[in-house]
PDB file of all heavy atoms in Angstrom:
ATOM      1  N   HIS A 428    -149.151  70.238   2.187  1.00 96.00           N
ATOM      2  CA  HIS A 428    -148.640  70.235   3.552  1.00 96.00           C
ATOM      3  C   HIS A 428    -149.862  70.268   4.477  1.00 96.00           C
ATOM      4  O   HIS A 428    -150.699  71.157   4.341  1.00 96.00           O
ATOM      5  CB  HIS A 428    -147.750  71.461   3.810  1.00 96.00           C
ATOM      6  CG  HIS A 428    -147.004  71.360   5.093  1.00 96.00           C
ATOM      7  ND1 HIS A 428    -145.654  71.104   5.141  1.00 96.00           N
ATOM      8  CD2 HIS A 428    -147.442  71.415   6.374  1.00 96.00           C
ATOM      9  CE1 HIS A 428    -145.284  71.022   6.418  1.00 96.00           C
ATOM     10  NE2 HIS A 428    -146.356  71.199   7.174  1.00 96.00           N
ATOM     11  N   PRO A 429    -149.989  69.313   5.427  1.00 95.00           N
ATOM     12  CA  PRO A 429    -151.157  69.331   6.308  1.00 95.00           C
ATOM     13  C   PRO A 429    -151.337  70.701   6.969  1.00 95.00           C
ATOM     14  O   PRO A 429    -150.367  71.289   7.460  1.00 95.00           O
ATOM     15  CB  PRO A 429    -150.840  68.253   7.352  1.00 95.00           C
ATOM     16  CG  PRO A 429    -149.906  67.325   6.650  1.00 95.00           C
ATOM     17  CD  PRO A 429    -149.086  68.192   5.725  1.00 95.00           C
ATOM     18  N   GLN A 430    -152.554  71.191   6.937  1.00 91.00           N
ATOM     19  CA  GLN A 430    -152.960  72.471   7.564  1.00 91.00           C
ATOM     20  C   GLN A 430    -152.421  73.722   6.887  1.00 91.00           C
ATOM     21  O   GLN A 430    -152.610  74.821   7.399  1.00 91.00           O
ATOM     22  CB  GLN A 430    -152.545  72.556   9.050  1.00 91.00           C
ATOM     23  CG  GLN A 430    -152.774  71.317   9.866  1.00 91.00           C
ATOM     24  CD  GLN A 430    -154.240  71.043  10.132  1.00 91.00           C
ATOM     25  OE1 GLN A 430    -155.092  71.915   9.972  1.00 91.00           O
ATOM     26  NE2 GLN A 430    -154.559  69.820  10.497  1.00 91.00           N
ATOM     27  N   LYS A 431    -151.737  73.587   5.764  1.00 92.00           N
ATOM     28  CA  LYS A 431    -151.183  74.786   5.121  1.00 92.00           C
ATOM     29  C   LYS A 431    -151.626  74.834   3.672  1.00 92.00           C
ATOM     30  O   LYS A 431    -151.795  73.797   3.031  1.00 92.00           O
ATOM     31  CB  LYS A 431    -149.646  74.724   5.109  1.00 92.00           C
ATOM     32  CG  LYS A 431    -149.020  74.787   6.472  1.00 92.00           C
ATOM     33  CD  LYS A 431    -148.442  76.153   6.714  1.00 92.00           C
ATOM     34  CE  LYS A 431    -147.782  76.224   8.079  1.00 92.00           C
ATOM     35  NZ  LYS A 431    -147.547  77.585   8.490  1.00 92.00           N
ATOM     36  N   ARG A 432    -151.727  76.067   3.160  1.00 92.00           N
ATOM     37  CA  ARG A 432    -151.981  76.211   1.733  1.00 92.00           C
ATOM     38  C   ARG A 432    -150.616  76.199   1.020  1.00 92.00           C
ATOM     39  O   ARG A 432    -150.134  77.222   0.523  1.00 92.00           O
ATOM     40  CB  ARG A 432    -152.734  77.517   1.475  1.00 92.00           C
ATOM     41  CG  ARG A 432    -153.432  77.542   0.135  1.00 92.00           C
ATOM     42  CD  ARG A 432    -154.287  78.776  -0.060  1.00 92.00           C
ATOM     43  NE  ARG A 432    -154.786  78.763  -1.427  1.00 92.00           N
ATOM     44  CZ  ARG A 432    -155.879  78.135  -1.806  1.00 92.00           C
ATOM     45  NH1 ARG A 432    -156.621  77.490  -0.946  1.00 92.00           N
ATOM     46  NH2 ARG A 432    -156.240  78.140  -3.088  1.00 92.00           N
ATOM     47  N   LEU A 433    -150.007  75.060   1.007  1.00 95.00           N
ATOM     48  CA  LEU A 433    -148.645  74.891   0.488  1.00 95.00           C
ATOM     49  C   LEU A 433    -148.553  73.499  -0.139  1.00 95.00           C
ATOM     50  O   LEU A 433    -149.008  72.522   0.452  1.00 95.00           O
ATOM     51  CB  LEU A 433    -147.653  74.990   1.665  1.00 95.00           C
ATOM     52  CG  LEU A 433    -146.212  74.537   1.400  1.00 95.00           C
ATOM     53  CD1 LEU A 433    -145.519  75.495   0.427  1.00 95.00           C
ATOM     54  CD2 LEU A 433    -145.422  74.481   2.713  1.00 95.00           C
ATOM     55  N   MET A 434    -147.987  73.465  -1.360  1.00 96.00           N
ATOM     56  CA  MET A 434    -147.910  72.178  -2.056  1.00 96.00           C
ATOM     57  C   MET A 434    -146.455  71.772  -2.280  1.00 96.00           C
ATOM     58  O   MET A 434    -145.616  72.607  -2.607  1.00 96.00           O
ATOM     59  CB  MET A 434    -148.545  72.282  -3.453  1.00 96.00           C
ATOM     60  CG  MET A 434    -150.004  72.632  -3.474  1.00 96.00           C
ATOM     61  SD  MET A 434    -150.630  72.728  -5.187  1.00 96.00           S
ATOM     62  CE  MET A 434    -149.979  74.289  -5.740  1.00 96.00           C
ATOM     63  N   TYR A 435    -146.197  70.485  -2.170  1.00 97.00           N
ATOM     64  CA  TYR A 435    -144.934  69.914  -2.645  1.00 97.00           C
ATOM     65  C   TYR A 435    -145.245  69.291  -3.994  1.00 97.00           C
ATOM     66  O   TYR A 435    -146.248  68.575  -4.126  1.00 97.00           O
ATOM     67  CB  TYR A 435    -144.427  68.826  -1.685  1.00 97.00           C
ATOM     68  CG  TYR A 435    -144.173  69.392  -0.319  1.00 97.00           C
ATOM     69  CD1 TYR A 435    -145.204  69.485   0.617  1.00 97.00           C
ATOM     70  CD2 TYR A 435    -142.923  69.906   0.013  1.00 97.00           C
ATOM     71  CE1 TYR A 435    -144.983  70.059   1.855  1.00 97.00           C
ATOM     72  CE2 TYR A 435    -142.700  70.480   1.254  1.00 97.00           C
ATOM     73  CZ  TYR A 435    -143.736  70.557   2.168  1.00 97.00           C
ATOM     74  OH  TYR A 435    -143.516  71.135   3.385  1.00 97.00           O
ATOM     75  N   ILE A 436    -144.426  69.564  -4.987  1.00 97.00           N
ATOM     76  CA  ILE A 436    -144.649  68.925  -6.291  1.00 97.00           C
ATOM     77  C   ILE A 436    -143.370  68.216  -6.720  1.00 97.00           C
ATOM     78  O   ILE A 436    -142.288  68.807  -6.764  1.00 97.00           O
ATOM     79  CB  ILE A 436    -145.094  69.912  -7.383  1.00 97.00           C
ATOM     80  CG1 ILE A 436    -146.332  70.717  -6.917  1.00 97.00           C
ATOM     81  CG2 ILE A 436    -145.433  69.162  -8.667  1.00 97.00           C
ATOM     82  CD1 ILE A 436    -147.030  71.520  -7.993  1.00 97.00           C
ATOM     83  N   GLY A 437    -143.516  66.926  -7.007  1.00 97.00           N
ATOM     84  CA  GLY A 437    -142.399  66.129  -7.499  1.00 97.00           C
ATOM     85  C   GLY A 437    -142.355  66.208  -9.016  1.00 97.00           C
ATOM     86  O   GLY A 437    -143.391  66.193  -9.676  1.00 97.00           O
ATOM     87  N   TYR A 438    -141.150  66.292  -9.557  1.00 97.00           N
ATOM     88  CA  TYR A 438    -141.035  66.331 -11.019  1.00 97.00           C
ATOM     89  C   TYR A 438    -139.835  65.507 -11.449  1.00 97.00           C
ATOM     90  O   TYR A 438    -138.959  65.188 -10.636  1.00 97.00           O
ATOM     91  CB  TYR A 438    -140.927  67.778 -11.532  1.00 97.00           C
ATOM     92  CG  TYR A 438    -139.638  68.461 -11.143  1.00 97.00           C
ATOM     93  CD1 TYR A 438    -138.531  68.450 -12.000  1.00 97.00           C
ATOM     94  CD2 TYR A 438    -139.507  69.098  -9.915  1.00 97.00           C
ATOM     95  CE1 TYR A 438    -137.332  69.062 -11.634  1.00 97.00           C
ATOM     96  CE2 TYR A 438    -138.318  69.711  -9.549  1.00 97.00           C
ATOM     97  CZ  TYR A 438    -137.237  69.687 -10.406  1.00 97.00           C
ATOM     98  OH  TYR A 438    -136.052  70.285 -10.039  1.00 97.00           O
ATOM     99  N   GLY A 439    -139.829  65.174 -12.730  1.00 96.00           N
ATOM    100  CA  GLY A 439    -138.674  64.447 -13.266  1.00 96.00           C
ATOM    101  C   GLY A 439    -139.082  63.196 -14.024  1.00 96.00           C
ATOM    102  O   GLY A 439    -138.470  62.864 -15.032  1.00 96.00           O
ATOM    103  N   PHE A 440    -140.093  62.503 -13.564  1.00 98.00           N
ATOM    104  CA  PHE A 440    -140.519  61.287 -14.268  1.00 98.00           C
ATOM    105  C   PHE A 440    -141.894  61.472 -14.916  1.00 98.00           C
ATOM    106  O   PHE A 440    -142.041  61.305 -16.114  1.00 98.00           O
ATOM    107  CB  PHE A 440    -140.535  60.088 -13.310  1.00 98.00           C
ATOM    108  CG  PHE A 440    -139.162  59.727 -12.833  1.00 98.00           C
ATOM    109  CD1 PHE A 440    -138.784  59.981 -11.524  1.00 98.00           C
ATOM    110  CD2 PHE A 440    -138.232  59.169 -13.699  1.00 98.00           C
ATOM    111  CE1 PHE A 440    -137.498  59.667 -11.080  1.00 98.00           C
ATOM    112  CE2 PHE A 440    -136.949  58.850 -13.273  1.00 98.00           C
ATOM    113  CZ  PHE A 440    -136.583  59.107 -11.952  1.00 98.00           C
ATOM    114  N   ARG A 441    -142.898  61.827 -14.151  1.00 98.00           N
ATOM    115  CA  ARG A 441    -144.263  61.886 -14.678  1.00 98.00           C
ATOM    116  C   ARG A 441    -144.769  63.314 -14.856  1.00 98.00           C
ATOM    117  O   ARG A 441    -145.615  63.563 -15.699  1.00 98.00           O
ATOM    118  CB  ARG A 441    -145.210  61.136 -13.746  1.00 98.00           C
ATOM    119  CG  ARG A 441    -144.885  59.652 -13.581  1.00 98.00           C
ATOM    120  CD  ARG A 441    -145.026  58.926 -14.918  1.00 98.00           C
ATOM    121  NE  ARG A 441    -144.859  57.505 -14.771  1.00 98.00           N
ATOM    122  CZ  ARG A 441    -145.830  56.659 -14.423  1.00 98.00           C
ATOM    123  NH1 ARG A 441    -147.037  57.102 -14.176  1.00 98.00           N
ATOM    124  NH2 ARG A 441    -145.589  55.367 -14.335  1.00 98.00           N
ATOM    125  N   THR A 442    -144.293  64.203 -13.993  1.00 97.00           N
ATOM    126  CA  THR A 442    -144.752  65.591 -14.052  1.00 97.00           C
ATOM    127  C   THR A 442    -143.596  66.453 -14.527  1.00 97.00           C
ATOM    128  O   THR A 442    -142.464  66.307 -14.063  1.00 97.00           O
ATOM    129  CB  THR A 442    -145.263  66.021 -12.654  1.00 97.00           C
ATOM    130  OG1 THR A 442    -146.458  65.283 -12.377  1.00 97.00           O
ATOM    131  CG2 THR A 442    -145.558  67.504 -12.578  1.00 97.00           C
ATOM    132  N   ASP A 443    -143.911  67.323 -15.493  1.00 95.00           N
ATOM    133  CA  ASP A 443    -142.909  68.210 -16.085  1.00 95.00           C
ATOM    134  C   ASP A 443    -142.692  69.416 -15.158  1.00 95.00           C
ATOM    135  O   ASP A 443    -143.641  69.913 -14.552  1.00 95.00           O
ATOM    136  CB  ASP A 443    -143.476  68.672 -17.435  1.00 95.00           C
ATOM    137  CG  ASP A 443    -142.427  69.323 -18.287  1.00 95.00           C
ATOM    138  OD1 ASP A 443    -141.919  70.413 -17.891  1.00 95.00           O
ATOM    139  OD2 ASP A 443    -142.130  68.766 -19.351  1.00 95.00           O
ATOM    140  N   LYS A 444    -141.462  69.883 -15.117  1.00 92.00           N
ATOM    141  CA  LYS A 444    -141.183  71.023 -14.236  1.00 92.00           C
ATOM    142  C   LYS A 444    -142.069  72.235 -14.587  1.00 92.00           C
ATOM    143  O   LYS A 444    -142.454  73.007 -13.701  1.00 92.00           O
ATOM    144  CB  LYS A 444    -139.700  71.391 -14.306  1.00 92.00           C
ATOM    145  CG  LYS A 444    -139.251  72.122 -13.071  1.00 92.00           C
ATOM    146  CD  LYS A 444    -137.759  72.392 -13.032  1.00 92.00           C
ATOM    147  CE  LYS A 444    -137.454  73.214 -11.779  1.00 92.00           C
ATOM    148  NZ  LYS A 444    -136.102  73.731 -11.763  1.00 92.00           N
ATOM    149  N   ALA A 445    -142.423  72.354 -15.871  1.00 91.00           N
ATOM    150  CA  ALA A 445    -143.250  73.497 -16.290  1.00 91.00           C
ATOM    151  C   ALA A 445    -144.623  73.477 -15.616  1.00 91.00           C
ATOM    152  O   ALA A 445    -145.275  74.524 -15.463  1.00 91.00           O
ATOM    153  CB  ALA A 445    -143.419  73.485 -17.808  1.00 91.00           C
ATOM    154  N   ALA A 446    -145.074  72.304 -15.196  1.00 92.00           N
ATOM    155  CA  ALA A 446    -146.391  72.197 -14.564  1.00 92.00           C
ATOM    156  C   ALA A 446    -146.416  72.856 -13.181  1.00 92.00           C
ATOM    157  O   ALA A 446    -147.478  73.228 -12.682  1.00 92.00           O
ATOM    158  CB  ALA A 446    -146.791  70.729 -14.437  1.00 92.00           C
ATOM    159  N   LEU A 447    -145.248  73.026 -12.577  1.00 88.00           N
ATOM    160  CA  LEU A 447    -145.205  73.581 -11.225  1.00 88.00           C
ATOM    161  C   LEU A 447    -145.665  75.031 -11.203  1.00 88.00           C
ATOM    162  O   LEU A 447    -146.448  75.443 -10.349  1.00 88.00           O
ATOM    163  CB  LEU A 447    -143.785  73.530 -10.648  1.00 88.00           C
ATOM    164  CG  LEU A 447    -143.006  72.236 -10.706  1.00 88.00           C
ATOM    165  CD1 LEU A 447    -141.679  72.399 -10.006  1.00 88.00           C
ATOM    166  CD2 LEU A 447    -143.803  71.139 -10.076  1.00 88.00           C
ATOM    167  N   VAL A 448    -145.148  75.792 -12.162  1.00 86.00           N
ATOM    168  CA  VAL A 448    -145.473  77.213 -12.213  1.00 86.00           C
ATOM    169  C   VAL A 448    -146.968  77.362 -12.486  1.00 86.00           C
ATOM    170  O   VAL A 448    -147.661  78.158 -11.836  1.00 86.00           O
ATOM    171  CB  VAL A 448    -144.677  77.907 -13.341  1.00 86.00           C
ATOM    172  CG1 VAL A 448    -144.919  79.405 -13.338  1.00 86.00           C
ATOM    173  CG2 VAL A 448    -143.199  77.590 -13.205  1.00 86.00           C
ATOM    174  N   ARG A 449    -147.432  76.544 -13.425  1.00 87.00           N
ATOM    175  CA  ARG A 449    -148.844  76.623 -13.796  1.00 87.00           C
ATOM    176  C   ARG A 449    -149.730  76.298 -12.586  1.00 87.00           C
ATOM    177  O   ARG A 449    -150.698  77.004 -12.291  1.00 87.00           O
ATOM    178  CB  ARG A 449    -149.087  75.634 -14.927  1.00 87.00           C
ATOM    179  CG  ARG A 449    -150.451  75.737 -15.517  1.00 87.00           C
ATOM    180  CD  ARG A 449    -150.527  75.004 -16.845  1.00 87.00           C
ATOM    181  NE  ARG A 449    -151.900  74.967 -17.256  1.00 87.00           N
ATOM    182  CZ  ARG A 449    -152.692  73.930 -17.020  1.00 87.00           C
ATOM    183  NH1 ARG A 449    -152.237  72.861 -16.426  1.00 87.00           N
ATOM    184  NH2 ARG A 449    -153.962  73.985 -17.397  1.00 87.00           N
TER     185      ARG A 449
END
Side-chain angles (χ1 to χ4, degrees):
H428 191 106
Q430 317 289 344
K431 294 256 181 196
R432 199 174 174 86
L433 167 68
M434 298 180 284
Y435 299 86
I436 306 192
Y438 68 93
F440 294 108
R441 299 297 186 85
T442 292
D443 193 295
K444 203 174 176 190
L447 310 184
V448 184
R449 187 165 171 264

